[in-house]
Amino acid sequence: MREVEHVRCPLCGGDDARQLSVQKGIYGVVKCRVCGLTYLCPRPTKRGIAAIYNEQYYKDPAVGYPDYLKTFHQHRETILQIFDERLRAVSQFKRGGRILEVGCAYGLLLDYFRKHGWETYGVELSQTSARYAQDVLGLDVQNVPLKRAQFPDLFFDVILMLDVVEHLADHKSAFEVIRRILKDDGIVVVQVPYELFHWEKVLQAIASGRRPGTIAPDAVPAHLCFFTPRTLRLMLEKHGFFVLKRESGNYGRIRERIFPPSTDSKFLICRLLKVIYYRLGVRKLLRWLAPKLKQGSGIIFYVSKRI
Ligand SMILES: [Zn+2]
């Protein structure tokens, strides 16, 4: 039996939410009537959430990342190009120093930063991937939750939280740690998927005859919050940060290259539209254009702490 619990809104603490859908027969996707955050409720208990990040996380395609290393080697050039974009994006603010990646997985991005002169550190919950980062790549990675990691105060120039904040069960304690270990002039890069209310998801919902917000979000129950740019900003401000810059990316870029979206449909017209959209370059064009218009399916904020 999967244990679940009812939670209050992770952003405003309210307890008045409208249900949008039920996922996997048990997890509710709800939208807070007070602040507008969409979140999972009921969701797994603390113990259940911790269990998601066991060994299976890098094997189970439903919540995690199967064949992570194989994918890296197969798509090395694309991935290195993404790493390079990241390095250049961070360099707008800091040209070097100490960098921490929260949820660094196998440490591949950190390894890339290290090769470019950064002093790198990581924390990672999964033992499988943390061990690889430590033993194979020789990185300084702690296999503990962020709040148990040992770092001095005011230590980091840059902290990366890439596709992490939507997984957090307790934003308050995580951001307290981040504030403590970040230098006063340091920056945090926060990236989350723009799920459910991104234009592409809204169109998908309408095309399948459903209300926006009701289609299945990614990686339930590992994802606990489904942010929009507005709710992410509010969350960061609530915990003592201010936004320096907002960028937009494409979430799931690599995964989609490996598993192209299906064009299946029971209706011929839908199948035809899907083929035009997914296979004939329409989507490619939109996904190229969207980040330039800040309409990509990944939300990226560069934030500093309020002192
Ligand atoms: Zn709320």
Side-chain angles (χ1 to χ4, degrees):
M1 175 67 197
R2 292 172 292 178
E3 282 175 36
V4 293
E5 65 180 4
H6 178 94
V7 286
R8 299 176 82 97
C9 172
L11 176 53
C12 74
D15 198 14
D16 181 12
R18 177 169 65 92
Q19 185 169 288
L20 300 178
S21 68
V22 174
Q23 298 299 324
K24 301 186 174 171
I26 189 165
Y27 308 110
V29 175
V30 304
K31 185 170 183 180
C32 175
R33 285 196 172 92
V34 183
C35 71
L37 179 73
T38 307
Y39 58 99
L40 209 60
C41 179
R43 73 183 194 190
T45 56
K46 244 180 163 176
R47 208 174 48 181
I49 291 171
I52 293 171
Y53 303 99
N54 61 15
E55 209 186 320
Q56 281 302 316
Y57 192 61
Y58 286 99
K59 291 185 181 150
D60 181 358
V63 291
Y65 298 88
D67 297 327
Y68 191 94
L69 287 174
K70 207 168 103 194
T71 306
F72 177 72
H73 292 295
Q74 273 172 357
H75 299 268
R76 200 183 166 85
E77 274 191 23
T78 312
I79 297 173
L80 288 180
Q81 191 191 329
I82 293 171
F83 286 179
D84 193 58
E85 283 167 21
R86 180 75 64 195
L87 180 76
R88 278 188 282 135
V90 169
S91 308
Q92 300 173 81
F93 301 94
K94 299 278 171 191
R95 298 222 154 253
R98 282 192 206 107
I99 189 166
L100 167 70
E101 186 178 12
V102 180
C104 66
Y106 287 77
L108 303 173
L109 178 64
L110 279 180
D111 187 40
Y112 190 80
F113 270 80
R114 184 173 57 179
K115 283 181 181 136
H116 288 81
W118 287 74
E119 190 180 327
T120 52
Y121 299 84
V123 290
E124 170 54 45
L125 281 176
S126 151
Q127 199 184 60
T128 314
S129 58
R131 278 216 178 124
Y132 181 90
Q134 295 159 340
D135 300 344
V136 180
L137 299 180
L139 287 162
D140 188 334
V141 169
Q142 300 183 35
N143 180 210
V144 292
L146 178 63
K147 61 181 169 201
R148 296 229 316 271
Q150 304 286 318
F151 295 117
D153 293 357
L154 307 173
F155 192 60
F156 290 106
D157 297 282
V158 177
I159 299 179
L160 302 176
M161 300 182 88
L162 308 175
D163 302 324
V164 165
V165 177
E166 71 275 21
H167 293 254
L168 295 176
D170 179 358
H171 295 92
K172 185 170 180 283
S173 69
F175 284 122
E176 272 172 10
V177 176
I178 298 289
R179 275 185 61 87
R180 179 181 68 75
I181 61 181
L182 183 68
K183 288 182 183 174
D184 286 344
D185 65 346
I187 64 150
V188 188
V189 185
V190 178
Q191 170 181 291
V192 301
Y194 189 170
E195 297 188 81
L196 297 174
F197 296 101
H198 177 248
W199 59 267
E200 198 175 25
K201 300 285 179 194
V202 170
L203 286 180
Q204 263 175 30
I206 294 170
S208 50
R210 308 177 63 171
R211 282 215 316 267
T214 61
I215 57 175
D218 195 28
V220 167
H223 288 189
L224 303 173
C225 289
F226 311 100
F227 292 102
T228 63
R230 187 185 73 86
T231 53
L232 180 65
R233 179 187 293 268
L234 290 172
M235 180 65 90
L236 293 163
E237 287 175 352
K238 177 185 170 183
H239 294 292
F241 296 89
F242 67 94
V243 177
L244 293 165
K245 187 173 181 189
R246 180 187 153 198
E247 279 180 357
S248 173
N250 282 324
Y251 176 71
R253 203 163 132 186
I254 300 165
R255 196 166 16 167
E256 282 183 7
R257 205 175 259 217
I258 306 160
F259 308 108
S262 158
T263 52
D264 270 2
S265 173
K266 51 185 176 188
F267 304 109
L268 183 65
I269 181 75
C270 288
R271 234 171 24 226
L272 194 69
L273 286 171
K274 281 183 169 181
V275 168
I276 294 172
Y277 185 63
Y278 288 123
R279 301 281 188 268
L280 299 183
V282 177
R283 186 167 198 245
K284 220 173 163 182
L285 176 72
L286 287 173
R287 280 176 81 89
W288 171 79
L289 194 63
K292 299 185 192 315
L293 302 173
K294 293 205 171 139
Q295 298 299 320
S297 56
I299 309 167
I300 307 165
F301 280 171
Y302 299 86
V303 304
S304 244
K305 60 181 180 183
R306 259 199 326 263
I307 301 164

